[in-house]
Amino acid sequence: MKSYLGLIPISAKVHKRQNRMTLLCIIFAVFLVTAIFSMADMGVRMEQTRLLDKHGSSLTFQDLLSSTLAQTLFLAAAILFALILVAGVLMISSSLNSNVAQRTKFFGMMRCIGMSKRQIIRFVRLEALNWCKTAVPIGVVLGIAITWGLCAALRFLVGEEFSAIPLFGISLIGIISGIVVGIVTVVIAASSPAKRAAKVSPITAVSGNSESAKILTHAANTRFSKIEMALGVHHAVSGKKNLVLMISSFALSIILFLSFSVLIQFVGYLMPQSSNASDIDISSSDGSNSIDSAMLTEISTMQGVERVFGRRGLFDVPAGIGSDNQLTSTVDTISFDEFDLDWLTKDKLLRKGSDISKVYGDSHYVLAICDTNSLLKIGDEIQLENEELEIAGLLKYDPFNSDGNANGQITIITSSETFTRLTDFNGYSLIMVQTTSNVTDEDVTAISSILDENCTLQDRREQSTAGTYMAFQICIYGFLVIITLVTVLNIMNSISMSVSARINQYGAMRAIGMSKRQVTKMIAAEAFTYALSGCIVGCVVGLLVSKLLYDTLITAHFSYATWSVPIVPLAIILMFVFVAAIVAVYTPSKRIRNISVTETINEL
């Protein structure tokens, strides 16, 4: 061996088991970034194909950059890149710190035979970079493979607008981003453990326990708990840097989970999926209520039709709003069939306090659509067509406008029976048709053939975003599963390595009379100190990040959207954290129980 650096591959083989989690963290970071940027790149290529079909050869790079899809994809990828980088740094730093703590005697021996502090730092950093030779290629290959699998699923299973997505595309952006995040993460993460290893003096290191060199100024507090529980908490909080890294590692997992949960909501706002979305619209040419109501019955019996419902409408109707009942405003009035009214409840479009049950049938109750800052409220009276109507509910946003804003206009929704009583109109201005999954073009042509010249048919089947929405949901939930899995593995590994770093201390405690049950409780106290602290920090910071992302991605574009505490995602990730902490206690406590006291004391 020509140089002390020749010890790096030997050390990697000897500590292969301890390094598994660190390797997994690097693979996880590289894989996620490669897959995210590769999918974003494939999406941009698909958008480029669409724009080329639209603009022809006149398509410019500016046209591509101005595309909403391209901007959204790369903005989301950039945010996730930063979060994954930070999460990777903290998880790898935590693992490396525990690794260094276990090898204190090794670094002390190196110092004793002449290795300088600078050489120790270089050794630890190069040892960490040595893992990249294995972890980075594996992460890149996995990222590419997942990208190909997702592209194939989108093209053949979802189809529709994904028919142009590349199948076996190689994204240089994705590969370079994955390699960069892998190397940068390791370099940053190795900095603190390397300095920690270099600071250990040879005399302290040869003793095999760097913790013993610390001067204890006070004993563990046993006033409120038993000695083993107090010692477990003391072990967790005594090493400040390790505590910060462990808490940050757990907290980042929660933050990542909550951040990805915001993306799920963002996709929902970007591509809203309404249960009453129509595949075919039949409207009167002049916008009047001139479509015969008998046409609904006729269309409902035709091949390929699943459901038919209609709407009537009158616009700019004089109305009196408020207690004075003065005709001081105009409103748009739209009738909803029973299925349409059911949709409002099913898709949760009503504001709190609304009672839609009053609106069904022939009644004196209506629903209203207005701006969020409007003075109109539930229970207000509206004079319409010489009748007093009461507002039984308000909608959260205007479903008839793409941006959800009412723009100062008040719209009244009534039942079909109430609308007919008020206006004497029996015909429809719009008939909406939902088709079956096996509908054919011939079925649509048959529907078109029964329409008269006053009707216009619009085939909206190709405009459906259900496939895209499902694809994004699957991708995001897939990443959430990966984050949860890595969170569990990281917690288990971190606690196990923390216990291993203090193995001789536990041996000494066993030697002076501590029982196996007490040792298990001590390890559990240490584990739950990390978990509870990490959950508190993760919840506080995670909710702040969640709101920031929500305001940036959603509220900035959909002014009616309001952030609320994500109770379900928060409960899910907290449950996994505490379950992982419980499971993590089992392996190290079993290990200590199964070896003798003398063997534990002599363990390095």
Side-chain angles (χ1 to χ4, degrees), residues 229 233 236-237 243 246-251 254 491 495 523-541 573-582:
M229 304 295 287
V233 175
V237 301
L243 178 64
M246 293 283 279
I247 290 175
S248 301
S249 179
F250 293 359
I254 297 173
I491 291 172
I495 293 174
I523 296 173
E526 180 179 355
F528 277 92
T529 300
Y530 293 136
L532 184 60
S533 303
C535 286
I536 293 173
V537 175
C539 288
V540 173
V541 179
I573 188 62
L574 289 179
M575 180 189 69
F576 274 103
V577 168
F578 280 104
V579 168
I582 294 171

Side-chain angles (χ1 to χ4, degrees), residues 31 48 151 258 260 341 357 379 388 417 455 533 540 547 569 601:
F31 153 70
Q48 184 179 18
C151 288
L258 294 179
F260 271 85
L341 291 174
S357 62
E388 291 287 344
E417 294 84 353
C455 297
S533 303
V540 173
K547 188 177 187 310
I601 294 175

Side-chain angles (χ1 to χ4, degrees), residues 373-389:
N373 58 355
S374 172
L375 298 178
L376 203 64
K377 61 184 183 296
I378 297 173
D380 281 352
E381 299 287 340
I382 292 182
Q383 183 176 334
L384 188 69
E385 300 292 341
N386 298 319
E387 285 201 34
E388 291 287 344
L389 302 173

Side-chain angles (χ1 to χ4, degrees), residues 344-573:
L344 297 175
T345 304
K346 184 177 181 180
D347 287 6
K348 300 178 181 178
L349 265 65
L350 297 173
R351 296 186 195 177
K352 186 177 180 180
S354 301
D355 186 1
I356 195 174
S357 62
K358 296 179 179 179
V359 181
Y360 288 87
D362 190 358
S363 71
H364 292 276
Y365 292 93
V366 296
L367 301 173
I369 302 171
C370 58
D371 293 320
T372 54
N373 58 355
S374 172
L375 298 178
L376 203 64
K377 61 184 183 296
I378 297 173
D380 281 352
E381 299 287 340
I382 292 182
Q383 183 176 334
L384 188 69
E385 300 292 341
N386 298 319
E387 285 201 34
E388 291 287 344
L389 302 173
E390 182 179 329
I391 296 177
L394 296 171
L395 272 65
K396 294 178 180 178
Y397 62 90
D398 189 347
F400 306 116
N401 285 331
S402 58
D403 60 0
N405 293 318
N407 299 319
Q409 179 64 39
I410 297 175
T411 302
I412 301 300
I413 296 177
T414 73
S415 66
S416 292
E417 294 84 353
T418 302
F419 187 92
T420 301
R421 189 192 77 238
L422 293 173
T423 64
D424 292 329
F425 283 115
N426 291 313
Y428 289 93
S429 60
L430 175 67
I431 292 178
M432 306 171 75
V433 182
Q434 291 184 339
T435 60
T436 59
S437 58
N438 59 352
V439 65
T440 63
D441 291 339
E442 289 74 16
D443 295 333
V444 176
T445 302
I447 295 174
S448 179
S449 65
I450 68 170
L451 304 181
D452 57 38
E453 58 183 12
N454 294 323
C455 297
T456 302
L457 184 144
Q458 182 183 10
D459 190 347
R460 299 168 54 89
R461 289 176 298 164
E462 296 299 325
Q463 300 177 21
S464 172
T465 59
T468 307
Y469 177 79
M470 183 184 299
F472 274 106
Q473 293 282 84
I474 291 173
C475 290
I476 296 173
Y477 277 115
F479 286 129
L480 282 176
V481 170
I482 295 172
I483 290 171
T484 304
L485 177 62
V486 172
T487 297
V488 172
L489 293 176
N490 179 53
I491 291 172
M492 295 174 63
N493 181 75
S494 298
I495 293 174
S496 178
M497 294 185 73
S498 178
V499 171
S500 297
R502 293 191 177 91
I503 194 73
N504 50 354
Q505 293 184 19
Y506 293 121
M509 293 174 188
R510 288 285 309 283
I512 61 175
M514 182 174 281
S515 67
K516 296 178 181 179
R517 183 181 180 86
Q518 287 178 307
V519 171
T520 301
K521 288 183 177 181
M522 183 167 55
I523 296 173
E526 180 179 355
F528 277 92
T529 300
Y530 293 136
L532 184 60
S533 303
C535 286
I536 293 173
V537 175
C539 288
V540 173
V541 179
L543 290 175
L544 292 175
V545 173
S546 173
K547 188 177 187 310
L548 177 63
L549 284 175
Y550 193 96
D551 291 341
T552 302
L553 295 176
I554 300 176
T555 306
H557 302 94
F558 307 93
S559 58
Y560 59 88
T562 54
W563 180 84
S564 60
V565 177
I567 296 176
V568 174
L570 196 59
I572 291 173
I573 188 62

